[in-house]
Amino acid sequence: MITRNIDWLSQYRQGGKLPSPKGVYLEALRLLEQEEVDNRELVRVLQSDPATNARLLQLANVSIRTRSRPVVAVADAILVLGQAQIKRLILALALIQSATPRVSGFDYARFWTVSLLSALAVQALSEQLGQVNADEVFVVALLANVGELALVSLFSESYMELRGRVPPPEGNALLQMERQQYGIDHDELSSLLVEEWGLPMVFVEAIFHQAQPEELSSFPDAGRSLLLARLLRFGVGMAEFCLRDNARRSASAVQMAEEMIKLGLDTASVREQVSRILLAWPQWQGLLQEAAPVLAEPLDWELLMDRERTPASDSSPLRIAYLAMDGTMSEECTESFSRLGLSPLKADVSDSATLDLLVVAYQQNEGEWIATHLRGLDPVLGPYILLVGDKLDGQSESELFRLGIDAYEPQSLCSENLRKHLQLAQRRREARQKYLHRQERMRKFTGSLADVNRDLRQAALTDPLTHLRNRRYADERLAQEWSIAERHDKNLALMLLDLDNFKLINDTQGHDVGDEVLQRVSSILDAFARHQDIPCRVGGDEFLIICPDTDAQGVQVLARRICAQLATADAWTDLQADVSVSIGAASRDTQMRSAKDLLQAADHALFEAKRLGRNQAVLFVRS
C-alpha cells in the first residue's frame, strides 16, 4: 500500500531534531520530583507534545522487541520504561532542547495547538464510536503531522520559502510542492517516522493517506486504516476551524462536514464534543506555555452542514403485533391491552420493519422457537420487543437479550407497566424516524447507504432512556477490555449496581418518577466515572461500570463514593423518593479465566450487598 524511499530515515537521523513546547519538560520534571507520582497526570503532560511522544514510543518499542504487539499509548510506554528511565530521558531532552535553534518564521505555537486540538477531538470521537482504542488514537493523531516539523528541522530556510509560496487554504497544494522539491511530502514523512518508532502498520497507513482517505477504499483489508484516516482528517479540520485567526476556516469546515458524513457523525454530537474541548483548552494551553489563540466557542457552525431538519412527529397510533407459538396471547395480556383501547394484530415477522411494538409470548422450552423468529430482526430499525411469559433462567435471559429483546414482563402484565413499554416504543419510533431522515440526507450527500451504518450502530448500542451504553455494548466492551488486560497483564475491575426497592418507587409514584430516578442515577454515574470508566445500563434498574486499569482497592473506593452519593437525600428531595443502591465490585485475578468469571464475581458480591441489608458496596474476596 505504501512505497518508501528509505534514504529519508538516514537523512532524518543525521539532522532531524524535533522541538517541544517550553512548558512540557518543566511540568514533567516537576511531577517526577514528587514522592508519589500520579501516573495519570504524568501521561496527560507527556502526551501533549508530539516530539516527546515520538521519543517515548521509540524507546519503549526498542525495549520490547520480543513482544508481538508494539506500544502505542503513552501510558503503556511509561509502564514499560519505568519512571526512573522517563526522568533521565526528560532531563536529556531538556538539555538537547535548550541547544536546538528554532527556525525563524515557522509558527510553532500554531503547530502544537493544531496537533493537540486534533488529538483531543479524535480521542473524544473514538470513545463515541467505540471501535478503536481512544488513548492509542490520541497518540497517532498527535504524531500525524510530525513530518512537517521534521521538514522544518531538516531544510529550515528552503522549506519556509516553499511554504510562503502556497496560498493559506491550499493544503493539498503544499503536499504537491513538497513532493516536487524534496521527493516526499510531510504526510509520507510522518508515516515513515511513526513506522520507524514502532507503531503498527494500520496507523502508518492511516497517516500516509490522511489527506485523501478515499485512496484506501480500493484496498480490501483497509477498513480500520480507512476509519483512522478519516478520523485524522476530521481532527485536523476541526482544530483549524477552532483557531481564532484562520484563513482556512471555510476549507476546514468543508473538510469536517465531509468526514462527519462518512464517519456517521451528527452535528449535535460533534458540536458537544468540540464545546467540551474548547472549555478544557485553557488547561492544555497553560501546559504548553506557547499556543495559538482559539475560539471561545464554536462559531459559524452552519458552515459545516445545513442545519438538520427534524421531521414532524408521527401522530398515528403505534403499530402493535404479538407473536406466540400457539398463535394466541394470554388472557391477562389481552386484558391489559384492552383496558388501554388497544388490540394487537397477529405478527408477520416479514413485516417487522413496519411494526413499532412486538409482544412475544414465551413459555418454558420455547427459547429456540423464539430465537429462530427474532434472528432476522433489525436491532435498530426493527420494533421494540417486549417478552411476556414464564420466568426466565439466567442463560435464557442472556441469550434472548443478545438476540434483541428490549424488555421482559411476567405473564400478568399490568396496564401500568404496559403503558411504560408503549412510551418506550413511541420513543423508539421517533428515534427511528430521525435516523431514517438522517440516512436519507446522507444518502443524497454521499450516494451510499454504507456511510450511515456507524450512526445506526451507535443507536443499537445506546439505551434510549438514560443515553448510557446498553447491554449489547457492555458485553462487547467487557470482552474487549478483558482481552487487553490479559494481553498486557493489566488490572481490570467491574461494578454491578442494582437500585434498592426501585419497584416500590414505580408502584407508589408511577413510572414517570421511576424514569426520572433512572435518568438522575445515570447522570450521577456518568459524573463519577473517570476518563477510562464505561458506565452502562444493562437492565431495568441494573447498571454496570467497566473500570479498565483499576485494581481491587481502586474499584472499592469508587464504589463506596457512588453508593454514598446516591444515598444523599438532597439529590431526591423534589421527587420525595428514597433512593439507594447496592453495588457488587470485583477485580481481575489469576484464577479468572474469562470476562464471564469477572462478571460472576461482581454478581456474587452484589448478592452479598443485598443480603447484608442493601445500600452498600461489597468487594468480591475469594475465600
Side-chain angles (χ1 to χ4, degrees):
M1 226 183 265
I2 300 175
T3 57
R4 295 298 192 198
N5 179 353
I6 214 66
D7 290 338
W8 276 99
L9 281 180
S10 58
Q11 192 166 354
Y12 169 76
R13 293 189 191 109
Q14 293 171 12
K17 293 180 181 178
L18 303 181
S20 296
K22 298 174 183 177
V24 173
Y25 292 153
L26 294 175
E27 182 63 15
L29 288 173
R30 184 190 69 79
L31 288 172
L32 288 165
E33 289 295 335
Q34 296 178 2
E35 192 170 325
E36 293 186 7
V37 181
D38 185 341
N39 261 13
R40 289 174 298 182
E41 183 64 16
L42 184 60
V43 167
R44 188 184 75 84
V45 171
L46 294 177
Q47 72 178 6
S48 64
D49 169 38
T52 305
N53 272 256
R55 293 168 178 122
L56 286 175
L57 296 175
Q58 185 177 22
L59 187 57
N61 283 313
V62 167
S63 302
I64 59 162
R65 287 295 188 193
T66 57
R67 296 191 187 179
S68 59
R69 191 178 189 279
V71 172
V72 179
V74 174
D76 292 339
I78 292 175
L79 290 175
V80 169
L81 298 173
Q83 290 181 3
Q85 191 169 358
I86 295 289
K87 185 175 181 179
R88 289 193 294 271
L89 175 65
I90 295 298
L91 284 168
L93 292 176
L95 290 172
I96 294 172
Q97 181 70 12
S98 64
T100 302
R102 298 277 182 99
V103 176
S104 176
F106 184 73
D107 194 342
Y108 290 95
R110 186 184 190 281
F111 175 84
W112 285 314
T113 300
V114 170
S115 296
L116 187 49
L117 277 174
S118 173
L120 291 168
V122 169
Q123 181 184 46
L125 294 176
S126 298
E127 291 174 345
Q128 181 181 338
L129 294 171
Q131 297 188 30
V132 286
N133 184 297
D135 291 335
E136 292 185 352
V137 174
F138 178 96
V139 173
V140 175
L142 195 69
L143 297 177
N145 288 304
V146 75
E148 189 176 352
L149 209 56
L151 286 175
V152 173
S153 173
L154 288 168
F155 300 110
S156 56
E157 292 183 7
S158 71
Y159 185 66
M160 293 309 301
E161 181 184 350
L162 179 147
R163 287 175 61 92
R165 300 201 303 268
V166 181
E170 300 298 328
N172 287 335
L174 176 60
L175 296 175
Q176 293 171 5
M177 294 181 69
E178 289 170 348
R179 287 192 291 271
Q180 290 172 3
Q181 183 155 338
Y182 304 117
I184 195 171
D185 61 54
H186 64 258
D187 281 350
E188 186 175 357
L189 184 53
S190 295
S191 64
L192 190 65
L193 290 173
V194 297
E195 184 178 9
E196 164 79 356
W197 296 329
L199 270 68
M201 187 54 64
V202 63
F203 297 140
V204 176
E205 290 171 348
I207 290 174
F208 184 85
H209 291 284
Q210 63 181 314
Q212 295 179 316
E214 59 275 5
E215 292 178 357
L216 280 163
S217 302
S218 59
F219 295 95
D221 299 322
R224 192 156 177 256
S225 296
L226 178 59
L227 169 65
L228 290 167
R230 293 204 185 288
L231 280 170
L232 294 177
R233 180 170 167 79
F234 173 87
V236 171
M238 190 228 80
E240 291 183 336
F241 183 83
C242 290
L243 292 178
R244 190 180 301 165
D245 301 313
N246 178 26
R248 268 186 54 84
R249 175 159 296 133
S250 295
S252 300
V254 172
Q255 182 172 316
M256 285 179 72
E258 290 174 349
E259 300 311 324
M260 278 170 60
I261 295 295
K262 293 168 184 176
L263 287 165
L265 300 168
D266 62 89
T267 309
S269 63
V270 171
R271 184 180 186 115
E272 181 182 358
Q273 296 290 2
V274 173
S275 297
R276 288 181 180 178
I277 291 169
L278 292 178
L279 189 63
W281 179 248
Q283 296 179 344
W284 292 99
Q285 187 176 20
L287 176 62
L288 294 177
Q289 292 188 9
E290 45 184 328
V294 300
L295 301 171
E297 60 180 73
L299 299 175
D300 301 324
W301 205 258
E302 64 274 8
L303 289 172
L304 292 178
M305 300 171 72
D306 292 334
R307 292 190 181 275
E308 289 190 89
R309 299 175 189 77
T310 303
S313 297
D314 186 354
S315 59
S316 61
L318 288 175
R319 295 175 289 275
I320 306 171
Y322 69 89
L323 180 67
M325 190 170 183
D326 61 4
T328 60
M329 279 197 307
S330 68
E331 291 182 9
E332 296 94 334
C333 193
T334 303
E335 185 178 346
S336 295
F337 275 101
S338 298
R339 286 198 191 112
L340 299 178
L342 300 171
S343 180
L345 302 173
K346 185 176 179 181
D348 183 349
V349 178
S350 63
D351 294 331
S352 61
T354 66
L355 296 177
D356 299 311
L357 172 63
L358 178 61
V359 182
V360 181
Y362 170 78
Q363 295 181 2
Q364 293 292 347
N365 304 320
E366 291 183 357
E368 185 58 37
W369 179 85
I370 290 175
T372 300
H373 285 76
L374 296 186
R375 282 194 182 101
L377 296 184
D378 191 302
V380 177
L381 300 179
Y384 180 90
I385 303 174
L386 172 62
L387 190 70
V388 178
D390 296 342
K391 183 174 177 58
L392 297 171
D393 58 62
Q395 183 177 354
S396 297
E397 182 179 5
S398 297
E399 178 61 26
L400 289 169
F401 271 101
R402 192 173 293 113
L403 287 169
I405 293 293
D406 292 290
Y408 164 77
E409 290 285 354
Q411 196 74 261
S412 56
L413 173 64
C414 67
S415 299
E416 189 62 34
N417 285 350
L418 175 57
R419 187 176 284 108
K420 173 187 68 175
H421 295 296
L422 291 171
Q423 290 171 350
L424 292 173
Q426 178 66 34
R427 291 175 188 170
R428 171 71 64 83
R429 178 165 75 171
E430 291 171 356
R432 183 168 64 231
Q433 289 170 343
K434 290 179 182 178
Y435 283 117
L436 288 172
H437 175 70
R438 188 177 300 132
Q439 183 185 42
E440 182 60 26
R441 292 180 67 241
M442 289 179 180
R443 192 210 302 253
K444 290 177 181 177
F445 191 88
T446 65
S448 173
L449 269 174
D451 292 324
V452 301
N453 285 343
R454 190 166 294 104
D455 198 18
L456 295 176
R457 174 174 168 77
Q458 292 309 304
L461 300 177
T462 303
D463 175 58
L465 177 65
T466 64
H467 303 296
L468 294 179
R469 296 299 194 180
N470 63 15
R471 184 171 188 149
R472 184 180 287 110
Y473 179 88
D475 289 342
E476 293 178 5
R477 187 60 182 268
L478 180 57
Q480 179 187 15
E481 293 296 340
W482 178 271
S483 177
I484 293 172
E486 193 172 43
R487 186 164 62 247
H488 298 290
D489 194 24
K490 287 186 173 183
N491 291 319
L492 176 64
L494 190 70
M495 280 185 277
L496 279 175
L497 303 86
D498 189 271
L499 295 184
D500 300 327
N501 302 316
F502 181 69
K503 186 176 183 301
L504 182 62
I505 295 174
N506 271 338
D507 291 346
T508 58
Q509 300 193 52
H511 287 281
D512 288 344
V513 173
D515 285 353
E516 178 66 23
V517 167
L518 291 173
Q519 289 171 333
R520 292 194 192 183
V521 168
S522 301
S523 298
I524 291 171
L525 296 183
D526 202 32
F528 267 78
R530 302 161 303 171
H531 173 73
Q532 71 266 35
D533 297 336
I534 306 107
C536 308
R537 183 188 179 201
V538 295
D541 61 332
E542 297 176 359
F543 298 84
L544 176 149
I545 303 179
I546 303 169
C547 305
D549 203 17
T550 304
D551 59 14
Q553 182 180 2
V555 73
Q556 186 177 35
V557 170
L558 184 59
R560 287 175 175 171
R561 288 175 57 206
I562 291 173
C563 196
Q565 180 65 27
L566 286 172
T568 302
D570 293 345
W572 314 105
T573 302
D574 60 323
L575 295 180
Q576 297 181 345
D578 185 13
V579 179
S580 65
V581 67
S582 298
I583 303 178
S587 64
R588 174 177 170 266
D589 64 31
T590 55
Q591 295 187 44
M592 295 177 183
R593 294 288 177 257
S594 67
K596 183 179 179 181
D597 293 340
L598 178 60
L599 189 61
Q600 287 178 342
D603 191 50
H604 180 83
L606 175 60
F607 178 81
E608 189 66 11
K610 292 284 190 183
R611 188 185 69 82
L612 293 174
R614 298 184 173 86
N615 191 21
Q616 57 188 289
V618 172
L619 177 69
F620 174 78
V621 178
R622 196 175 295 280
S623 55

